[in-house]
Amino acid sequence: MSKSHFAIYLVQLLLVVGPSDADRIKDTMYMKISGSVACYRRMNATHQIGCSSARGGSVGVVHYCDSATDLDFILKNGSAGPYIPVLPISLLSAETVSKLSSSKVKISGLLLHANSENLLQMSHENQCPNDIFNVQQAPKTCPDSGGWNPWGTGLLYADVPFPMFYMHNDSEVSAIRHCFQAFNNHSFATQAARSLCSLELNAFMYGTTNTQTCIRRSNVVTNLNPVKFCDPLGDSNVWGALFPLVTGEENDSQPIRDAKYIVVAARLDTTSLFEETAGAESPITGAVALLTVAKLLKEMLPAAAASVQTNVLFILFNGETYDYIGSQRLLYDMERGHFPTDLPPNNPILPTIYPENVTLFIELSQLGVGEATYAHYLSADAWLGKFAANLTRNNPSTVVPLKPTPDSLPPSSLHTFIRGNTSIRGLVLANHQTAYQNRFYNSLFDNSSNIGYRYYNGSEIGAGTLQRHIADVATMVAKSVFEEVTGQAYQGGASPSLLLVSDRDWLE
């Protein structure tokens, strides 16, 4: 994939006197725009999604739009196409892209810029994220009206026939608008007969068709064709255990083969329609809560007592946005006896952990401050109901209550494990009951301002703040897991570190 960039230029008829003037003439014609990010191409097993420019760039006449009415005007009256509309990001929707794709006036690209006012919502994800890979049983795991993500446009999975860029730099947006006003914004019927301000969008993607086709082409390596067309989506899951998986001295240890495991999990990835991501409410709040639980439990249980038969696995799944590829890989390895490492089942180094060894799965999902923290679990299981009651009892917050929510399961890694082993018990903690509170899920606008984050720099962090809320959720989970591991309530004085929770490096 080539480096994304675009340029603005004025189409003119020029008489070149000599080669010595070429650079200066070019400088007067072209202005390179650098503060932008492109929509990019992805593929799955059946088709391609995302965007690509033509090879060498896509060129079009600038039409600056302040409203949907301005866009409709050029689609009906444009005479000098192809055009590249310049729109505020709030106008980006599935309807807008469909209109541009099917327009009789040729559209060769789309340039988007920040709104003059704050966005109310913007999510490129589907309304039911990963629905094909969610548990398909009664009760339905995706609501009939609006889905879990009611603000989702689904554009993340659309095959867009032209390139799209998002611009950050306001001064460059102003330059494009000035060029449009000076040369394009008059006498639309005669545009084809005069010099016009135009854009070139360059974000050519070599990948095409579907995954199998692209991988096959990439694997055909010759000296004459060294291009790699695409790379597989993927990364590494991160896991750790509360107690050692072995017993004995360092050079004389034996695997602990009969242990049971509680999994505390969160996701590690996010995505966006454009070649830039943020990720605050999803996934940072859940990941920070998990790390806080791990640190707190280690203070509560510095070593396993002889009577303790349950260990705790902390897992950060990577790749959950796209078909739960992180959790699916881990379950795949577990089912084949390849977790935590690819050694024979009875090896003398590490125990083999199978799905049936997992007694409880707790997932920490989106955890921004809301009206409540909801404990979702799919079936009205008496044991899960009791554990949810323990969470309620251990919740230190006087501001945000814990509400058990049976017969409900939002998109989460837990779906992977329930699909593979329906007997597993698990629940998901989130700040939403029937619809995401996060209006910017899987978009570049899910940032620190979206979750009301404030860095206190050592000042007191009070009730109702994001940091205190995450610390309270971590305390609730840690104390409840402590009870499951030891069989007794926690009586000590360990508490979460608000300085750790508040560290602004999480959001940078």
Side-chain angles (χ1 to χ4, degrees):
M1 178 175 70
S2 63
K3 183 179 180 181
S4 302
H5 67 276
F6 64 89
I8 179 172
Y9 63 91
L10 178 63
V11 178
Q12 298 176 340
L13 294 176
L14 296 169
L15 177 62
V16 180
V17 177
S20 61
D21 293 328
D23 288 341
R24 284 175 291 177
I25 291 173
K26 178 181 177 181
D27 290 342
T28 63
M29 292 177 61
Y30 292 86
M31 183 179 75
K32 187 174 182 180
I33 306 294
S34 57
S36 62
V37 288
C39 166
Y40 57 100
R41 177 77 74 206
R42 290 173 294 269
M43 282 144 286
N44 63 15
T46 57
H47 59 285
Q48 64 185 24
I49 59 177
C51 318
S52 175
S53 71
R55 190 164 188 169
S58 299
V59 178
V61 176
V62 174
H63 187 77
Y64 195 98
C65 304
D66 289 311
S67 65
T69 304
D70 295 337
L71 180 61
D72 291 338
F73 174 81
I74 199 62
L75 294 180
K76 293 178 181 178
N77 302 290
S79 62
Y83 285 91
I84 295 180
V86 183
L87 307 177
I89 190 72
S90 59
L91 295 182
L92 178 62
S93 65
E95 180 183 1
T96 298
V97 171
S98 176
K99 183 190 300 183
L100 295 176
S101 301
S102 60
S103 171
K104 293 181 180 179
V105 174
K106 181 172 175 57
I107 300 298
S108 58
L110 180 60
L111 180 60
L112 302 148
H113 62 86
N115 280 36
S116 57
E117 55 191 35
N118 291 333
L119 278 173
L120 296 179
Q121 65 266 335
M122 177 60 64
S123 174
H124 313 305
E125 182 56 84
N126 287 327
Q127 293 191 346
C128 288
N130 280 340
D131 194 40
I132 295 176
F133 291 88
N134 289 338
V135 176
Q136 305 296 326
Q137 66 182 61
K140 293 181 67 176
T141 55
C142 189
D144 290 323
S145 58
W148 289 102
N149 183 34
W151 301 279
T153 64
L155 284 176
L156 192 61
Y157 304 98
D159 184 11
V160 182
F162 46 77
M164 293 195 296
F165 278 76
Y166 174 72
M167 292 187 65
H168 294 286
N169 193 314
D170 290 339
S171 63
E172 292 177 340
V173 175
S174 298
I176 293 174
R177 180 166 190 163
H178 175 76
C179 190
F180 166 75
Q181 296 288 2
F183 298 100
N184 298 12
N185 196 23
H186 61 87
S187 304
F188 288 94
T190 64
Q191 277 191 338
R194 67 175 194 270
S195 300
L196 296 171
C197 183
S198 299
L199 285 165
E200 178 183 296
L201 307 183
N202 196 333
F204 178 66
M205 309 288 161
Y206 285 99
T208 185
T209 310
N210 56 43
T211 298
Q212 293 92 328
T213 301
C214 196
I215 293 294
R216 186 182 70 247
R217 291 174 179 174
S218 294
N219 289 337
V220 179
V221 179
T222 68
N223 292 333
L224 298 177
N225 183 30
V227 176
K228 189 165 187 177
F229 295 99
C230 54
D231 292 303
L233 279 171
D235 210 311
S236 299
N237 296 323
V238 180
W239 69 273
L242 179 61
F243 305 128
L245 301 181
V246 298
T247 184
E249 299 299 326
E250 182 176 350
N251 296 320
D252 189 29
S253 61
Q254 293 295 322
I256 302 174
R257 303 188 189 279
D258 56 349
K260 297 297 183 181
Y261 297 90
I262 294 173
V263 171
V264 180
R267 65 187 294 178
L268 196 56
D269 64 286
T270 184
T271 192
S272 167
L273 180 63
F274 299 97
E275 197 178 7
E276 179 179 300
T277 58
E281 185 154 336
S282 173
I284 295 299
T285 55
V288 171
L290 180 142
L291 295 173
T292 308
V293 171
K295 185 175 185 299
L296 190 54
L297 269 174
K298 194 60 181 176
E299 293 177 13
M300 293 176 173
L301 285 166
S307 59
V308 170
Q309 299 297 313
T310 300
N311 204 340
V312 182
L313 294 177
F314 303 99
I315 306 176
L316 289 166
F317 292 114
N318 213 337
E320 298 305 272
T321 296
Y322 295 105
D323 306 340
Y324 304 127
I325 60 177
S327 54
Q328 288 208 54
R329 178 53 195 251
L330 186 133
L331 180 62
Y332 177 89
D333 288 342
M334 276 188 166
E335 289 175 336
R336 284 153 182 79
H338 296 163
F339 182 81
T341 186
D342 190 8
L343 289 173
N346 295 317
N347 74 86
I349 301 172
L350 285 171
T352 301
I353 302 175
Y354 295 96
E356 51 267 29
N357 299 133
V358 178
T359 59
L360 176 62
F361 190 103
I362 304 168
E363 184 162 350
L364 304 175
S365 185
Q366 300 176 65
L367 290 171
V369 181
E371 293 181 358
T373 300
Y374 299 93
H376 297 268
Y377 47 100
L378 195 54
S379 59
D381 184 291
W383 189 91
L384 282 176
K386 179 182 176 183
F387 184 79
N390 290 344
L391 289 171
T392 302
R393 174 170 48 81
N394 288 319
N395 181 15
S397 176
T398 59
V399 179
V400 183
L402 187 284
K403 293 187 177 180
T405 310
D407 295 329
S408 171
L409 195 64
S412 55
S413 305
L414 180 56
H415 281 276
T416 297
F417 286 83
I418 292 178
R419 280 166 57 98
N421 179 6
T422 55
S423 64
I424 195 169
R425 287 169 165 158
L427 48 80
V428 176
L429 297 182
N431 63 354
H432 47 267
Q433 184 173 22
T434 57
Y436 289 170
Q437 179 178 285
N438 184 3
R439 293 170 176 256
F440 302 96
Y441 179 74
N442 278 356
S443 83
L444 54 83
F445 300 102
D446 184 10
N447 51 36
S448 58
S449 61
N450 177 39
I451 55 176
Y453 173 80
R454 174 190 166 193
Y455 181 59
Y456 287 87
N457 196 23
S459 301
E460 183 178 354
I461 301 173
T465 60
L466 174 67
Q467 293 92 325
R468 176 63 69 179
H469 171 62
I470 290 177
D472 287 343
V473 171
T475 301
M476 170 176 65
V477 172
K479 287 185 175 181
S480 301
V481 170
F482 179 94
E483 292 182 22
E484 293 302 317
V485 171
T486 65
Q488 56 188 1
Y490 179 67
Q491 302 296 331
S495 62
S497 168
L498 286 175
L499 288 177
L500 174 65
V501 176
S502 186
D503 194 332
R504 59 184 175 186
D505 287 344
W506 298 123
L507 294 166
E508 293 181 353

